Amino acid sequence: MAFTDLREFIAELESRGHLQRVSAPVTRDLEIAEITDRLSKAPAAQNKALLFEKVQGFDTPVLINAFGSAERMALALGVEGLNDLSERIAKLLDLKMPGTFFDKLRKLGTLIDVVKAGPKHVGSGPCQEMVETDSASLASLPILTCWPGDAGRYITLPLVFTRDPVTSARNVGMYRLQVFDDRTLGMHWQMHKGSAEHQREALRTGAERMEVAIALGGDPATIYAASAPLPPGVDEIVFSGWLRGRGVELVRGKTVDVEVPAHAEIVLEGYVDPRERRLEGPFGDHTGYYSLAREYPVFHLTAITRRRQPIYPTTIVGRPPQEDYWLGKATERIFLPTVRMVLPEVVDMNMPAEGVFHNLVIVSIRKRYPGHARKVMSALWGMGLMMLAKTIIVVSDHVDVHDLSEVAWRATANIDPKRDIMVIEGPMDDLDHAALRHRFGGKMGIDATEKGPLDDIQQSWPEEIVMSASMREQVSRRWKEYGL
Ligand SMILES: Cc1cc2nc3c(=O)[nH]c(=O)nc-3n(C[C@H](O)[C@H](O)[C@H](O)COP(=O)(O)O)c2cc1C
Ligand SMILES: [Mn+2]
């Protein structure tokens, strides 16, 4: 089922008991964050999407934690479970179309008769029921203060739309925005990301302005797509259309030549001067630490368009697990088949919450030759944003990568650190605070596969302890008799 907008998604969440309305008055400063943080770490029965109906000083309700569980994330993307995403992608990979998965996705945009994934261009939409230009002010939005040490209030679940100044190709990214004043935002696109490349192109070609539109809300698959690390040139809107099985309706902005989802709740239109920089942060980030204040581009508002009675969608990030972990899980499941296409020996992959995506990637492989684990690590470090992975642990195919206890056991038992740890240097995530230099540092690959004659090991590898099948069967059969 494809949702048309955020409201349909909210209604579905509510009908399934996944949403809790909060009618008690709350403040936008820290209180919503503290409530949400508790729920995102609570047992499943308590971890719900929240709709704050009375945010002091605002008429606009605040939606948060809408994607914050496996069930809600699956519902957002129209699948029964997140593993179904891997199957859907695998089927697309099998399409009798030449090229890699991403070539296919690129082509989907032009083959909309074959697969109805391409966007539909419409002349008007609910996101433009109200239009303010000169009088537009961010003060009308219940933008949260998330953590006490934050430099200010932040828009945390935005869909930032930019276009390549040369090719006009679209990019949509989820990049947080710091409120500097009622018409100015910090634009936190990191240098490895799609829209930062558009900015570099704007600088190179001497463009004075990049037109930018920021959508808040819209259908949940499109919101997710803004967070997906698609390769350059793959249109997030086509990807979303493919996920939904129905093209996304787009409408042109009122003051910018940028299209936005017609069914968004609120749209901020404006521009970035590619040469301008301003200190952004600190911000309590998804690493669990405050990211440091650094120079980032600046967004200047030219208009706010919105529904008559919009809902303001947001999230908080902080010490994991939180809502963003589930957006990342969807990405992990979606990307697994594409990783397998390049590396057929890969069985499964896990980016656990504790590793905040870029700190830890665990993969299981069918090992066939000496150095095989190193080959897999090296290949992963060469694939898109996987380049930012700080630690990669490679285990054998029989290991459950999602069982962190098993991984810790194998990854320490099966290694001779001198032989099995590969240390290299490379690009690091913007948010990595431990690297000696910002955005560049050491990476570690751990080969935790079993070693054998292939590896020239000088002692024989022991058997793993497993009870005999007959005794296990006997004990299971007699279990009740023991009175345990
Ligand atoms: C809640 C949330 C907040 C994010 N904030 C940022 C951010 O401030 N800056 C950034 O570069 N990436 C941020 N990301 C990650 C990007 O959305 C992600 O890397 C995505 O691939 C960017 O799109 P792009 O590949 O088209 O650049 C965030 C992701 C989530 C889920
Ligand atoms: Mn992109």
Side-chain angles (χ1 to χ4, degrees):
M1 145 171 203
F3 300 105
T4 302
D5 56 19
L6 199 58
R7 285 136 200 264
E8 273 189 23
F9 182 47
I10 290 172
E12 186 66 20
L13 287 173
E14 192 161 28
S15 76
R16 291 176 183 240
H18 291 324
L19 179 115
Q20 185 83 49
R21 286 173 189 267
V22 181
S23 55
V26 292
T27 155
R28 66 172 189 199
D29 297 318
L30 305 181
E31 191 172 8
I32 291 177
E34 171 63 13
I35 296 166
T36 310
D37 186 39
R38 289 191 193 187
L39 286 204
S40 44
K41 295 175 171 69
Q46 234 186 321
N47 174 4
K48 301 216 165 148
L50 294 171
L51 189 66
F52 290 95
E53 295 176 323
K54 285 205 196 85
V55 183
Q56 285 159 15
F58 299 90
D59 299 328
T60 307
V62 169
L63 176 73
I64 194 164
N65 210 23
F67 299 94
S69 74
E71 292 81 8
R72 299 202 288 281
M73 194 63 237
L75 197 62
L77 300 183
V79 287
E80 291 277 313
L82 293 179
N83 281 329
D84 297 0
L85 292 169
S86 310
E87 275 166 41
R88 277 200 66 196
I89 296 280
K91 276 197 192 124
L92 181 65
L93 290 173
D94 280 346
L95 269 188
K96 302 257 174 298
M97 235 197 271
T100 67
F101 165 68
F102 291 112
D103 292 335
K104 287 172 190 174
L105 257 188
R106 272 185 205 105
K107 281 175 197 140
L108 286 186
T110 56
L111 291 176
I112 49 176
D113 295 337
V114 182
V115 185
K116 293 183 174 45
K120 294 188 179 65
H121 309 275
V122 297
S124 64
C127 74
Q128 295 178 338
E129 281 170 359
M130 309 297 283
V131 177
E132 286 173 294
T133 52
D134 293 343
S135 61
S137 167
L138 296 165
S140 61
L141 302 178
I143 301 168
L144 307 189
T145 310
C146 301
W147 297 105
D150 285 0
R153 292 182 298 118
Y154 281 84
I155 297 173
T156 50
L157 204 69
L159 286 61
V160 177
F161 286 70
T162 58
R163 282 179 319 154
D164 184 307
V166 178
T167 65
S168 281
R170 175 185 10 252
N171 189 64
V172 192
M174 187 168 282
Y175 314 121
R176 74 170 187 239
L177 304 149
Q178 180 184 345
V179 178
F180 289 142
D181 61 49
D182 290 346
R183 310 245 326 166
T184 323
L185 295 167
M187 175 58 81
H188 190 261
W189 56 52
Q190 299 160 2
M191 65 166 11
H192 308 108
K193 308 299 175 74
S195 296
E197 180 59 18
H198 288 179
Q199 186 197 352
R200 284 190 291 269
E201 281 296 274
L203 270 178
R204 189 179 65 80
T205 55
E208 301 269 304
R209 284 184 174 193
M210 291 171 71
E211 293 192 322
V212 179
I214 300 161
L216 302 169
D219 72 88
T222 304
I223 297 175
Y224 160 73
S227 79
L230 304 178
V234 178
D235 184 348
E236 282 83 1
I237 295 300
V238 174
F239 181 58
S240 166
W242 178 79
L243 281 170
R244 306 167 74 221
R246 178 147 65 96
V248 180
E249 287 188 13
L250 295 179
V251 64
R252 191 180 174 281
K254 292 289 184 185
T255 60
V256 290
D257 185 15
V258 180
E259 287 182 308
V260 290
H263 294 277
E265 296 292 315
I266 301 161
V267 178
L268 313 177
E269 300 181 1
Y271 65 91
V272 165
D273 173 344
R275 291 152 304 194
E276 187 182 6
R277 292 269 190 293
R278 187 166 161 181
L279 206 59
E280 195 268 7
F283 174 67
D285 225 311
H286 79 110
T287 56
Y289 292 86
Y290 286 99
S291 50
L292 302 178
R294 296 189 191 276
E295 301 271 311
Y296 273 92
V298 181
F299 171 87
H300 299 276
L301 188 76
T302 54
I304 297 183
T305 77
R306 59 176 174 84
R307 293 176 183 244
R308 224 160 259 121
Q309 288 177 323
I311 296 168
Y312 177 76
T314 192
T315 188
I316 56 157
V317 293
R319 183 167 164 171
Q322 284 186 338
E323 183 172 10
D324 63 312
Y325 167 67
W326 295 103
L327 290 160
K329 258 300 142 189
T331 292
E332 174 199 294
R333 293 295 98 190
I334 284 172
F335 275 74
L336 178 60
T338 72
V339 167
R340 276 207 206 116
M341 199 164 68
V342 182
L343 297 167
E345 60 271 61
V346 167
V347 176
D348 203 357
M349 178 168 86
N350 181 20
M351 301 169 84
E354 293 79 355
V356 305
F357 311 125
H358 57 267
N359 285 343
L360 179 57
V361 179
I362 304 161
V363 284
S364 54
I365 65 162
R366 278 180 220 98
K367 178 172 143 180
R368 293 288 181 264
Y369 44 79
H372 202 156
R374 288 172 188 246
K375 174 253 197 174
V376 169
M377 296 164 194
S378 305
L380 286 174
W381 279 320
M383 288 175 83
L385 285 184
M386 271 289 180
M387 69 175 165
L388 303 175
K390 180 149 72 174
T391 311
I392 299 179
I393 300 178
V394 181
V395 293
S396 300
D397 51 358
H398 60 87
V399 176
D400 179 2
V401 293
H402 304 285
D403 180 344
L404 294 186
S405 165
E406 176 172 11
V407 172
W409 171 47
R410 308 269 187 195
T412 46
N414 286 353
I415 59 163
D416 173 339
K418 254 190 120 159
R419 182 195 56 209
D420 296 327
I421 292 183
M422 173 157 91
V423 176
I424 63 152
E425 284 178 304
M428 295 299 281
D429 194 279
D430 225 273
L431 303 182
D432 188 275
H433 54 261
L436 283 177
R437 251 169 72 192
H438 185 216
R439 303 186 181 121
F440 181 85
K443 293 167 179 297
M444 176 170 63
I446 302 175
D447 175 0
T449 59
E450 288 84 10
K451 309 301 179 308
L454 274 184
D455 306 285
D456 232 359
I457 190 169
Q458 315 263 314
Q459 53 174 338
S460 47
W461 195 265
E463 285 287 308
E464 214 178 295
I465 302 168
V466 184
M467 183 48 70
S468 69
S470 60
M471 184 48 70
R472 278 192 308 200
E473 192 274 322
Q474 176 179 323
V475 168
S476 296
R477 183 160 33 81
R478 296 196 51 206
W479 193 254
K480 277 204 178 120
E481 290 177 49
Y482 308 137
L484 296 170

